[in-house]
Amino acid sequence: MGISEVREYDCWLQGRGQNQFSDALKNCLSRIVVKEDCLVVKQAALELQRGLKRMFGVDAAITDTIQKPCTVVGTATAVSELTGKTVSCDRAEGFCIEIGDELSVVAGADCNGTLYGAFRLLMELAKGAGTGFSLEDAPRSGIRMINHWDNLDGTIERGYAGPSLFYKDDKIDYDPQRIEDYARLLASIGINCLSINNVNVRKTAKLLITEQFLPDVAKLADIFRPFGIRLMLSINFGAPYSFGDLDTADPLDPRVGEWWAKRADLVYKYIPDLAGFLVKADSEGEAGPFQYGRDHADGANMLAKALKPHNGTVIWRCFVYNCTQDWRDQTQDRACAAYDHFMPLDGRFDDNVILQIKHGPYDFQVREPVTPLFGALKKTRHLIEFQITQEYTGHQIDVCFLPYMWQDVYHFDTKHGENSTIGGMMGNRISGAVAVGSVGRDENWTGNTLSQANWFGFGRLAWNPDLTAEEIADEWVKLTFGLDPEVDAAVNKILMMSYPTYENYNAPFGVCFMVTRSLHYGPDIEGYEYSRWGTYHRANWEAVGVDRTPSGTNYTGQYAPENAAMFADLATCPENLMLFFHRVPYSYVMKNGKNLLQNIYDTHFKGVEQVEEIIRTWEGIQDKIGSAVYASVRERMGRQLTNAIEWRDVVNTYFHRHTGIPDEQGRKIYD
Ligand code: GCV
């Protein structure tokens, strides 16, 4: 098999015929031995067979009798029995793989581990591994989840890659092959849970938990099950009321608890291994316990009791804030909301409730500090929520490699107790990672082929939070574009420079929300300034930013003392978050010796130059990239340049008009 063009549909599972196996290794891989009943283990063998064919052109047979040379696939106990060789791997969902000419082994600590091992073997082969290679690995934490914000009419809230994979015209309507391919890609990066409908549960979506939809949800669950992926449903907290069954949804009314218990019985009759319910309550118009004078522990625990007999979990989002704020009231600070609402409830949640907390206190802005609840919550299970879909980071038009920023989140040291970085708390104090997905029916799944790297990167970091953005980029590039050093260098360079580039032409130094209202693409400096959403920068002629120190809203006081002091002092606050925490005069001299205003001008000019460099770099490898992929990415880069220019000129003009101070280099800023 020769080296083929980039097959964007296969994402990072291409192989592209690059690994020229020795005859001995080829023989070994061509006989796959599996002897176990587990659905997921059987799928592992099938995936190995399929991957060897599709990625490397190798035909393999599956058998249950051991005869060397062969590749044995199964849980560690089964593999040890079959081979007579002790294979040990005991970390949940982990695996060990060994490549040999006579005997190769993929052994999992459990069924999921075996499947992850099979995918890992394929990916390592694609990166060039051969005889003698071995690897043992396991995910750091048990929950690695994607949330879909898909609506039943087929639209996706904040979706930038075509319509929903699951729904059309108020029905569950999908291409089963496409769903299977989706499950394959998810499992290959270790995702084990998927919520399939928008957290804003409106209109027909409320009915997913009724017999009108449950048979179809069950069929979807059947497709994901062999891939070790359990489904979750987002529910509407007001359902007992909005279904017309009760006159209330008050969580402390026993009739409401009974209603949910019966509903859970029905749902689990169809999908016995459903992971549970995901809930957005009292947030942006969604129903919730506040309507009845109850708190979020009351609401979550009531649902938890309904799910408990079925081993189900309630994932309860902490994205709760006042979205009808008065901009004149400077005492209220939206950034404080999650901590204010949930910290006092620590210890009150049932053991099958898990809180889901956005990584930053606002809403997936380009640069935010880490939410202070992490490390502070001591007695409540919780997850960290990221956003793969590029709502505020360029709509999958602009290249923006998110692991570059996520690694900062994982490295942040909360200073609460031992091993207190976010990464260090994964798998112990933090139960796992979840992200809003980015895929749709576009042929390449993510609209921009380069955005596949964010999806891949989320999965890899959820598995191993110690990975660096460089490592993830390099791995993704090799798996997607192959092993040509020139292509690798160019695409790695584009990915690694893309985040700082985006940050440069976007809102400066952590100020946030200078983006167009609702759409969230392109600049609108005062779009949210006098609105009800609580996201203000308060720029005037002499200063910009919000004072969140003890002399302001005291948001800094929500952090552990060392971090509180570090953020509250302008001299020690990281400059990329300076305007999030402080109100800073334009004349303030930054570490590079230039004042804030000049730095705003400089970063915005630089951002555009960097986009031009990204484009030149991509053009430089045109001949080595499949023409369709090259063209579609290039076309998006053109739009990114237009966007960057717009941001540069609108932001610089805004500050120039407010201050009257020109750029010291005399570059063009509009009057
Ligand atoms: C699903 C932001 C987005 C909304 C999203 C919300 C959430 O506000 O703009 O589209 O709603 O976050 O996370 O619930």
Side-chain angles (χ1 to χ4, degrees), residues 149 157-158 199-200 280 284 317 319 358 363 391:
W149 284 356
E157 184 155 347
R158 313 304 177 188
V199 288
N200 291 325
K280 171 176 177 177
E284 301 185 332
R317 295 179 86 228
F319 187 58
K358 288 192 181 184
D363 187 16
E391 175 178 358

Side-chain angles (χ1 to χ4, degrees), residues 173-192:
D173 181 333
Y174 55 85
D175 168 1
Q177 184 57 55
R178 182 106 203 220
I179 300 298
E180 185 191 302
D181 292 336
Y182 182 44
R184 169 171 300 116
L185 288 163
L186 291 172
S188 73
I189 49 169
I191 302 300
N192 61 4

